[in-house]
Amino acid sequence: MSSMKPLRLAIVGFGRVGQVCAELISLSHDLGLAAIVRRAASAGGKLPETLRSIPVTIHIGQARDVDAALICVPTNVVREAASQILQHGIPIVDCATLHGEALHTHKDTIRKMALHHGVPAIVGAGWDPGALSVFRSWFALLTPGGSTETQHHAGTSLRHTTMARSVRGVEDALCAEVRANDGRVQRYVYVELEKGADVDKITQAIRADPLFLGEDTQVFPVENLAELEQEGRGVVLDRRGSPGRFGHQHLLLEARFDETVLTARIMLAAARALLQLEPGAYALTEIPLSAMWGERAENAHRDWL
Ligand SMILES: NC(=O)c1ccc[n+]([C@@H]2O[C@H](COP(=O)([O-])OP(=O)(O)OC[C@H]3O[C@@H](n4cnc5c(N)ncnc54)[C@H](OP(=O)(O)O)[C@@H]3O)[C@@H](O)[C@H]2O)c1
């Protein structure tokens, strides 16, 4: 049931978040990808097969039929990008990684520009800030005067392994223990290799080490360990109400996720809500949930109420 015209979005900055946004838009029924706006230096870069028909421009003004723009550039240039897009009267969503006072100031700046051009803007609409801010806010609302503890962790608990790193040809290594379905423990060793290193030899050397001997050890060469560490992040949000006459309330959120994917999802949800908003700037906590469901709002209402 898709009676409405798809909302046409431009993606500004085609990095990790921008690329996942593009993929999710192409999988959706109610959203369309109008254009990808890139820096001149990367505009000539190859796009994945499925996106070859999408216009790539170096300025938002060259893109046609854009209902809203998703700003996916580094946080320090978000404001500049926002200013250019708003000047064209195009509503925006950003996921700038700013918190507290800094996010407040950012929102204030965007609000002035958005009001001037008569369009709505949603700021800090990612995972954190974004969805996690909403959870935090709900937890606090339910337990006023309580205290929140937040722990961030790597979802797969990767740790550095000096043993694997000491093997010749290995630049750096991370190790994770994974429990297979039958309860066996497997060890995954991710290695960043020096140029021309022999993967088989290195695998054998790691497996033969007394530390790993007799264990089911898999060795995976990867391009970039730092990126791997970023993936599969996790968080525990633990909120305890203040003790007293209303009894003990204890709320717990344990989440493991790919931050890029969740951020892209939130940006699309926020974009769906844009058309219902008056000109101005909004944080995710100020947007009705039902608006973010878009055309699925009625079903969501039935399913989750
Ligand atoms: N709220 C959250 O939870 C959350 C989570 C993840 C990320 N973020 C934010 O989302 C944004 C994008 O993150 P990402 O991981 O996708 O970063 P990324 O992979 O580094 O991608 C950023 C892209 O922006 C463009 N770019 C780079 N430098 C630029 C510059 N100086 N001026 C204009 N454009 C530039 C590039 O795209 P082109 O080559 O196409 O120009 C680049 O690929 C960041 O602001 C990040 O802080 C927020």
Side-chain angles (χ1 to χ4, degrees):
M1 191 206 71
S2 179
S3 50
M4 274 165 39
K5 203 168 126 286
L7 186 70
R8 291 178 52 80
L9 301 174
I11 291 175
V12 181
F14 201 59
R16 279 166 295 200
V17 172
Q19 288 171 34
V20 177
C21 282
E23 227 176 292
L24 293 178
I25 290 170
S26 65
L27 292 171
S28 81
H29 301 291
D30 60 334
L31 304 173
L33 186 50
I36 299 173
V37 183
R38 310 193 69 177
R39 291 166 302 171
S42 34
K46 253 197 162 177
L47 290 184
E49 191 72 46
T50 48
L51 300 176
R52 295 277 159 80
S53 62
I54 307 298
V56 175
T57 72
I58 57 167
H59 198 278
I60 187 77
Q62 300 159 339
R64 328 213 101 226
D65 293 333
V66 178
D67 296 321
L70 308 176
I71 300 181
C72 309
V73 298
T75 297
N76 62 330
V77 287
V78 165
R79 212 178 90 182
E80 192 186 319
S83 157
Q84 287 179 18
I85 300 165
L86 291 169
Q87 276 173 39
H88 287 84
I90 297 170
I92 56 170
V93 174
D94 83 41
C95 64
T97 309
L98 299 168
H99 293 274
E101 211 42 55
L103 183 57
H104 189 76
T105 307
H106 172 69
K107 187 181 158 206
D108 225 35
T109 311
I110 299 284
R111 184 177 58 87
K112 290 191 182 101
M113 298 194 277
L115 284 173
H116 183 71
H117 298 289
V119 292
I122 302 176
V123 301
W127 165 250
D128 185 14
L132 194 59
S133 320
V134 177
F135 285 123
R136 270 195 295 259
S137 190
W138 262 113
F139 276 25
L141 193 66
L142 288 164
T143 54
S147 63
T148 303
E149 232 182 83
T150 309
Q151 271 177 53
H152 299 274
H153 61 86
T156 46
S157 62
L158 289 165
R159 47 189 181 73
H160 285 274
T161 151
T162 30
M163 187 293 284
R165 194 161 51 183
S166 65
V167 173
R168 249 181 71 191
V170 175
E171 290 244 320
D172 201 359
L174 287 171
C175 174
E177 272 179 18
V178 184
R179 201 165 283 279
N181 286 338
D182 59 7
R184 258 178 327 121
V185 173
Q186 285 179 307
R187 234 180 266 273
Y188 290 0
V189 183
Y190 300 93
V191 288
E192 205 173 297
L193 300 178
E194 286 166 9
K195 268 215 171 71
D198 183 332
V199 180
D200 290 339
K201 264 203 191 135
I202 287 168
T203 305
Q204 279 168 27
I206 292 174
R207 286 196 177 137
D209 190 273
L211 253 178
F212 291 160
L213 206 61
E215 304 267 358
D216 181 356
T217 303
Q218 310 283 337
V219 178
F220 303 101
V222 294
E223 291 266 312
N224 188 330
L225 279 180
E227 270 178 26
L228 184 74
E229 260 186 307
Q230 281 299 308
E231 284 171 16
R233 299 255 311 268
V235 72
V236 176
L237 197 65
D238 188 312
R239 173 92 185 170
R240 283 165 201 273
S242 56
R245 124 171 165 70
F246 299 111
H248 284 285
Q249 335 288 340
H250 185 189
L251 306 172
L252 191 65
L253 171 77
E254 198 267 350
R256 288 167 231 189
F257 46 83
D258 179 325
E259 198 175 18
T260 302
V261 173
L262 291 190
T263 293
R265 281 203 194 284
I266 294 297
M267 291 188 87
L268 299 195
R272 289 184 174 101
L274 272 174
L275 298 186
Q276 299 188 23
L277 300 175
E278 296 291 323
Y282 304 81
L284 213 57
T285 46
E286 298 169 298
I287 299 173
L289 260 181
S290 59
M292 290 194 271
W293 278 105
E295 60 177 28
R296 290 174 297 164
E298 255 182 52
N299 284 342
H301 190 69
R302 263 196 300 273
D303 290 348
W304 307 121
L305 229 53

